[in-house]
Amino acid sequence: LLVDFVIKGGTIVTPYGRFSGSIAIDEGKIVAIGSESSMPNSDRTIDSSGRFVMSGAIDPHIHLGLGVPFPEDCITETAAAAAGGVTTVGDFFRSLKSYHEVFPDIKRGVEANCIVDMFFSFGIMRRQQIPEIGEYAQKHGVTTFKFYGKYGLELMSYRQQAPPEVVEETDDGLLLDGLVEIARVLGDDGMGCIHAENYELIHTKKEEMKRNGMNDLTAWSDSRPNYCEEEYMAKAIYLSKVAGVRLYNVHMSVGKGVGIVEQAMKEGAKIIAETCPHYLVLNKHMNHLGVRGKISPPLRDVEDVQLLWNGIANGIVKTIGSDHVIVPKETDDIWKAFPGVPGVETLLPIILGEGVRKGRITLERANEVCSRNPALAFGLYPRKGSITVGSDADIVMVDMNEERKISANDLHSKAGWTPYEGLEIKGWPVMTMNKGEIVYEDRQVIGRPGHGRYIPRPIAAQRKDAN
Ligand SMILES: [Zn+2]
């Protein structure tokens, strides 16, 4: 018996603990886990001595095709993912059309160009998309949907594509109707995702600050105060209970959000909170970042950063998503620049360096929030997010002693810049494997575009006839 790979000599890390052991991999799957002597012969042996071996990171929150055409983004940005130890990415795709129209193209784009695997969450931007939710799940394997509330208005204002009658639809009425439909046709196989910012509160504040001539990063943050996010979270959690749906709070930036989520969980809400690396490292006083620090929700204060780390350590904040996006930052005007930062490649290094090496969280917790939990939340588990016999051989090997500074020159994203330039990190991915193929090794991306697959999410058999 000969298998493709045996990874031996290192320490395997799971959310439940760590042990010395070896992993055998064949035809893209994990086929055995055990002692070195119990392993079958292999074509190639990977020595992981002194390293930690974990299930590959899953970044459930990226945005492709905004600054660069989607297929092109698939190549460079999944190369960045591979180099960052990320083996599956979840793209939040937005369209004003029916997703039946756009899905075949984007799926082709993924399977022709991606180096690692990808799944989609669709933005529900129009009423006519709501009755199609059940079919999106059945026909395309998309079970998670994002709602923007009135923030959709602001989002669209950066582009010229949205007819006004369309953006008027992105309100809380659309949110509730969408959540109810997800619960009805998908139950707990589906999930509603929210951008939690009350844009009506922001709009007033923002106009006032503009009039007063303020124009720096702190002003951007102060124009959308913490309460705008906290209020929207509380409302959306309430509506999710009305609908009886699983709710995913993407990019939670406010420290108080941890308490809101903890309380809601105690009261039976099916809430999952995600935060992003930028909210764990950067803050609103870093005015040197200028428009490059402009994100929605915005960077917060130093205490928020601390509270979010505590939330991860305590198991309240369940997942980390990068909200990765390439957008042009062509203007220095904080009000006019596109919001967003690239971050898929630096997600895991930041969790390892700033989280684990700084003693804020354990490596086990890092694996849980970067791999197992996003797999569970998005219906990918146990195919993804687990070192288990039968799971996809999506593996990252990390060297917790490797030390270097983050530099855009070393990164693979087409963005060409990073908000973490110069940040010293101890703890880097050194080898990434996707479905039994090495896609990153010796600081080189060697995965080929087209190796990555589109990953549909399953729905329970009894739901298939539900609509
Ligand atoms: Zn968002």
Side-chain angles (χ1 to χ4, degrees):
L1 194 65
L2 189 72
V3 299
D4 294 337
F5 289 98
V6 166
I7 303 176
K8 60 156 202 172
T11 302
I12 299 170
V13 178
T14 75
Y16 308 104
R18 59 184 79 185
F19 55 95
S20 314
S22 302
I23 302 172
I25 291 145
D26 200 42
E27 292 182 348
K29 301 274 184 195
I30 295 172
V31 293
I33 303 161
S35 63
E36 201 179 317
S37 61
S38 70
M39 288 291 111
N41 291 325
S42 60
D43 275 338
R44 187 175 159 194
T45 302
I46 300 168
D47 181 11
S48 59
S49 307
R51 268 95 181 252
F52 295 95
V53 178
M54 309 186 283
S55 51
I58 296 168
D59 182 348
H61 189 175
I62 67 165
H63 296 275
L64 300 187
L66 293 180
V68 175
F70 182 81
E72 205 179 314
D73 244 0
C74 283
I75 302 178
T76 54
E77 305 317 291
T78 62
V86 174
T87 49
T88 302
V89 289
D91 183 64
F92 278 81
F93 196 84
R94 280 196 294 270
S95 175
L96 299 175
K97 296 182 187 161
S98 163
Y99 289 99
H100 292 314
E101 269 181 69
V102 296
F103 180 77
D105 267 353
I106 55 176
K107 186 189 176 198
R108 245 192 315 277
V110 168
E111 301 217 319
N113 299 297
C114 283
I115 292 169
V116 302
D117 296 335
M118 194 186 293
F119 65 94
F120 291 113
S121 299
F122 288 157
I124 298 298
M125 317 304 289
R126 305 190 71 172
R127 291 214 152 258
Q128 66 192 44
Q129 293 166 335
I130 290 179
E132 296 183 345
I133 282 173
E135 289 175 2
Y136 294 157
Q138 296 219 18
K139 294 188 177 157
H140 313 314
V142 174
T143 54
T144 47
F145 303 91
K146 186 171 173 188
F147 300 85
Y148 291 86
K150 283 274 178 218
Y151 172 68
L153 275 174
E154 187 184 38
L155 190 67
M156 295 297 179
S157 75
Y158 292 103
R159 301 176 178 277
Q160 259 94 55
Q161 61 176 29
E165 69 275 14
V166 170
V167 292
E168 284 302 329
E169 292 183 16
T170 64
D171 62 9
D172 294 342
L174 185 86
L175 169 64
L176 180 61
D177 290 351
L179 294 179
V180 166
E181 181 66 1
I182 293 169
R184 187 182 77 81
V185 296
L186 300 176
D188 285 348
D189 290 337
M191 188 163 71
C193 307
I194 47 152
H195 181 112
E197 284 194 291
N198 182 324
Y199 184 62
E200 289 163 49
L201 299 178
I202 291 168
H203 183 70
T204 314
K205 188 101 185 157
K206 189 165 129 179
E207 292 309 309
E208 175 196 315
M209 295 184 79
K210 274 196 214 174
R211 275 197 306 277
N212 293 337
M214 297 161 107
N215 201 318
D216 61 14
L217 186 61
T218 310
W220 171 253
S221 292
D222 290 346
S223 73
R224 11 189 10 109
N226 290 36
Y227 60 76
C228 298
E229 186 172 334
E230 291 154 13
E231 185 271 350
Y232 203 93
M233 283 181 68
K235 172 169 56 189
I237 288 168
Y238 180 80
L239 294 179
S240 79
K241 288 200 278 187
V242 171
V245 74
R246 290 201 304 142
L247 187 76
Y248 187 85
N249 192 152
V250 302
H251 52 48
M252 187 173 79
S253 69
V254 288
K256 263 194 193 169
V258 177
I260 295 172
V261 169
E262 187 174 18
Q263 186 59 32
M265 281 161 58
K266 278 188 195 142
E267 289 166 10
K270 296 184 258 187
I271 169 85
I272 298 165
E274 168 198 276
T275 191
C276 310
H278 38 269
Y279 304 124
L280 297 169
V281 175
L282 308 175
N283 66 64
K284 70 173 188 178
H285 304 294
M286 296 178 167
N287 271 309
H288 65 276
L289 290 171
V291 294
R292 290 183 170 186
K294 176 178 175 178
I295 311 161
S296 307
L299 298 176
R300 302 295 184 183
D301 221 323
V302 184
E303 3 354 327
D304 293 281
V305 174
Q306 193 48 52
L307 286 167
L308 289 172
W309 276 115
N310 293 346
I312 297 170
N314 298 336
I316 307 295
V317 177
K318 297 274 190 229
T319 65
I320 316 290
S322 68
D323 204 359
H324 176 93
V325 65
I326 304 180
V327 284
K329 300 265 187 186
E330 287 155 343
T331 165
D332 288 333
D333 187 331
I334 200 80
W335 307 113
K336 290 193 178 135
F338 281 92
V341 291
V344 66
E345 189 168 350
T346 42
L347 183 155
L348 185 59
I350 283 174
I351 295 302
L352 297 176
E354 290 288 306
V356 178
R357 289 300 318 210
K358 292 198 171 169
R360 288 160 157 152
I361 57 170
T362 62
L363 199 49
E364 285 81 355
R365 182 70 84 197
N367 177 241
E368 186 182 356
V369 295
C370 291
S371 184
R372 183 176 190 268
N373 285 348
L376 280 168
F378 285 87
L380 301 158
Y381 191 87
R383 177 174 177 188
K384 306 289 187 189
S386 183
I387 300 279
T388 306
V389 171
S391 294
D392 281 358
D394 290 357
I395 288 167
V396 59
M397 184 160 84
V398 305
D399 183 343
M400 291 306 290
N401 292 316
E402 182 164 328
E403 198 168 0
R404 62 190 150 91
K405 280 183 182 159
I406 294 177
S407 163
N409 290 330
D410 298 330
L411 300 177
H412 296 76
S413 168
K414 204 160 188 185
W417 61 277
T418 166
Y420 313 110
E421 189 68 44
L423 181 69
E424 192 76 58
I425 292 286
K426 197 168 181 185
W428 286 86
V430 292
M431 188 278 286
T432 309
M433 178 181 278
N434 174 274
K435 299 192 302 305
E437 215 167 275
I438 295 174
V439 291
Y440 174 76
E441 192 177 33
D442 299 329
R443 297 192 60 185
Q444 299 291 323
V445 175
I446 55 173
R448 88 197 133 73
H451 170 73
R453 293 290 91 190
Y454 170 68
I455 309 292
R457 270 81 54 68
I459 52 175
Q462 76 266 20
R463 293 196 214 287
K464 291 206 169 133
D465 313 312
N467 52 108

